[in-house]
Amino acid sequence: MSSSVVSSLHQELKQSFEVLRANRAVWERALADCEPLLSAIGNIAVQLQALRHVQLANTPLHSFPGLHERLHYKLSLAVDSALGKLAENMDALQRARDAIGRQVSAVFQFYERNTHTLDIAACVSRSAVCPSVSDMLEWLQDSERHYRLQLVQRRTLLQTLTPSDLVLMETAPGRWASLHTSAGEERVTDALCQVSFFMETE
Amino acid sequence: MSESTTPGKKGNLTGSARKLKDNAADWHNLILKWERLNDEGSTIATKIVNLGLNKKSNMESDVLMEGGSLAAGDHSKNLKQSNQELEEECVKLQDVVDKMANILSKMEKMVSDERGICELEAFQYGEKGRAEPLFHTWPTHQFAEVSSKLYESYKQELALKKTILQELAHTSNADLSMVYLSSWLYQPYIDDSGKLLLESLLLETGHRPL
């Protein structure tokens, strides 16, 4: 009885790690695509800042009609387009996180439905090739939390960006980079390494 | 050139329609070329600004190190080298601006050609123009108007670029340098309506499928 439950739980866990591995790749690609956009935003903010500081009337550019407004408009357009592309990438991140979240909550539901047949010994027993059920559930939960937090933090950062606050925009690339937690990423990598034999077993 | 005796190079368009269609293609190609030159120039302009900033910081450190004659000699050698580099880049940028001026003169010629076509039509069909449009819907004078609008924006842009070229290496104000660079890159006088005009021109003349 218990052994069949354990084996179907193992199947669920395998599938979860499969989903985690696939969506981690999606996540990393989308995140890599964000970086140049963030640095573009930082760059444009510097340009807008410079435009704000310069009195065009006192420069050789004084004879060009509406230059300040036109340049400001073009720069704002460039910010908008970068933010638009970032929003698309955020959607990709969101989808990756959702896929991971769905799968992890499915495996937890399965576990909770079957707690009466799964005794402690079955949950904590492990072998050379197969980590214990409790460890694997923990790794999945940690990974899911990592992506959930990352998404919230990154989204919050982007939501604070407005063309009126140039300092926020200028510092955005640095703040974006500082959200990267190698500890969180490593935990996911470690988890995937630790289940690599388990994934290959039938 | 009378309309009936000029066989089209491509297809069977002749006379005014042939000329207008060719001009539309030329607009497209010239603008593409302009964009390429703009990117090229932007890279050069950025280099010029960076060299200028380096020079300035070198000069400042020269003042600080006045005591050490050896170091100062080293600096003047550096300075000479960076001046030479600066000059080379300025020549390159001048070259880009010259090429852009060349493109603009081709644009100007198209505008005057199309005005000529309008005049020809007024002569042939009277003030009202031809009864049937040459392509889909545009009356002939609309081609001349579109060309002239596009030409005006590029003309203003070239004037701006010429000013930037003259001033870029001589400004010590970092903010102003930045404004020069972004004005060069973002081309404030070429707006989205220009893109729309070009696309509608290409659509009207059949370069873009309806």
Side-chain angles (χ1 to χ4, degrees):
Chain A
M1 173 71 179
S2 159
S3 78
S4 80
V5 171
V6 169
S7 94
S8 29
L9 183 56
H10 275 175
Q11 283 310 321
E12 283 282 328
L13 285 165
K14 270 181 199 165
Q15 205 185 337
S16 303
F17 284 109
E18 210 48 76
V19 168
L20 177 62
R21 179 152 53 191
N23 281 285
R24 183 170 80 138
V26 173
W27 174 278
E28 278 169 2
R29 266 201 305 280
L31 203 55
D33 290 344
C34 289
E35 213 156 299
L37 293 168
L38 256 303
S39 79
I41 287 180
N43 258 326
I44 301 166
V46 174
Q47 296 179 53
L48 281 166
Q49 196 84 273
L51 183 62
R52 191 179 276 181
H53 290 155
V54 170
Q55 294 289 328
L56 287 181
N58 306 328
T59 70
L61 295 174
H62 64 89
S63 60
F64 291 93
L67 182 60
H68 187 278
E69 292 75 16
R70 282 171 175 271
L71 190 54
H72 191 270
Y73 172 70
K74 284 258 172 169
L75 290 168
S76 309
L77 271 190
V79 174
D80 277 353
S81 116
L83 283 176
K85 285 185 199 144
L86 273 172
E88 281 168 28
N89 285 323
M90 290 311 286
D91 287 346
L93 291 178
Q94 170 91 57
R95 279 196 298 278
R97 194 226 70 90
D98 286 351
I100 295 170
R102 261 198 311 276
Q103 185 59 35
V104 171
S105 73
V107 77
F108 268 86
Q109 271 173 21
F110 182 88
Y111 165 77
E112 275 158 21
R113 270 203 310 278
N114 294 288
T115 37
H116 56 282
T117 46
L118 287 164
D119 51 27
I120 292 284
C123 287
V124 298
S125 78
R126 60 181 169 206
S127 70
V129 292
C130 177
S132 71
V133 167
S134 67
D135 276 344
M136 289 195 280
L137 285 173
E138 184 187 334
W139 297 334
L140 283 175
Q141 208 165 31
D142 284 348
S143 304
E144 192 273 338
R145 189 178 48 238
H146 167 67
Y147 290 115
R148 181 156 39 89
L149 280 179
Q150 280 282 309
L151 188 71
V152 170
Q153 288 171 330
R154 293 188 188 273
R155 179 157 285 155
T156 312
L157 192 159
L158 290 185
Q159 274 166 355
T160 58
L161 298 183
T162 59
S164 55
D165 194 334
L166 295 179
V167 176
L168 271 184
M169 280 201 338
E170 224 178 302
T171 55
R175 287 183 293 129
W176 180 269
S178 75
L179 288 179
H180 176 83
T181 64
S182 40
E185 283 299 322
E186 266 165 37
R187 211 168 300 153
V188 179
T189 311
D190 284 351
L192 287 172
C193 284
Q194 274 163 312
V195 296
S196 56
F197 282 122
F198 167 68
M199 303 283 281
E200 283 165 24
T201 56
E202 280 304 311
Chain B
M1 245 192 236
S2 93
E3 270 181 65
S4 50
T5 57
T6 317
K9 280 179 287 181
K10 307 160 242 171
N12 48 11
L13 284 177
T14 53
S16 300
R18 169 85 270 146
K19 183 75 189 156
L20 288 173
K21 184 163 180 171
D22 287 351
N23 274 2
D26 282 347
W27 270 114
H28 175 251
N29 295 335
L30 289 176
I31 287 175
L32 272 187
K33 223 182 260 176
W34 177 286
E35 289 305 318
R36 264 203 301 278
L37 285 170
N38 192 54
D39 288 346
E40 206 179 299
S42 177
T43 315
I44 302 168
T46 311
K47 242 185 231 168
I48 293 177
V49 168
N50 285 338
L51 285 170
L53 289 178
N54 282 347
K55 197 168 111 182
K56 199 177 142 204
S57 69
N58 273 346
M59 268 150 74
E60 274 162 9
S61 63
D62 259 359
V63 176
L64 287 176
M65 294 170 70
E66 232 168 359
S69 56
L70 208 145
D74 215 33
H75 271 293
S76 73
K77 201 173 131 200
N78 270 346
L79 198 64
K80 207 174 151 193
Q81 199 185 357
S82 86
N83 273 342
Q84 200 187 347
E85 219 175 316
L86 190 61
E87 207 174 305
E88 278 169 19
E89 295 300 325
C90 288
V91 169
K92 278 191 211 163
L93 194 61
Q94 173 77 58
D95 189 42
V96 168
V97 171
D98 288 346
K99 283 181 186 158
M100 286 175 149
N102 191 20
I103 290 178
L104 190 77
S105 71
K106 285 181 186 158
M107 291 175 172
E108 193 180 5
K109 192 169 170 304
M110 289 200 287
V111 174
S112 82
D113 283 356
E114 292 184 6
R115 290 212 178 108
I117 289 175
C118 289
E119 280 164 27
L120 177 67
E121 204 179 276
F123 175 71
Q124 286 176 322
Y125 302 92
E127 281 303 312
K128 274 186 170 173
R130 64 177 70 231
E132 295 285 313
L134 280 167
F135 296 94
H136 297 294
T137 56
W138 286 17
T140 311
H141 66 84
Q142 198 160 343
F143 290 93
E145 280 162 21
V146 164
S147 289
S148 156
K149 267 184 204 151
L150 285 172
Y151 167 70
E152 285 305 322
S153 62
Y154 282 88
K155 188 176 147 191
Q156 185 69 282
E157 202 58 52
L158 183 70
L160 178 60
K161 285 186 173 4
K162 281 182 172 163
T163 310
I164 295 173
L165 170 69
Q166 278 165 14
E167 302 296 332
L168 194 59
H170 303 294
T171 176
S172 53
N173 178 343
D175 282 334
L176 185 55
S177 298
M178 185 60 92
V179 171
Y180 285 142
L181 287 183
S182 41
S183 301
W184 181 289
L185 182 63
Y186 288 99
Q187 314 203 87
Y189 290 103
I190 299 174
D191 44 26
D192 292 342
S193 69
K195 260 180 225 154
L196 196 64
L197 285 178
L198 177 67
E199 281 307 311
S200 23
L201 180 62
L202 293 174
L203 209 62
E204 175 70 20
T205 50
H207 287 290
R208 293 255 193 274
L210 269 177

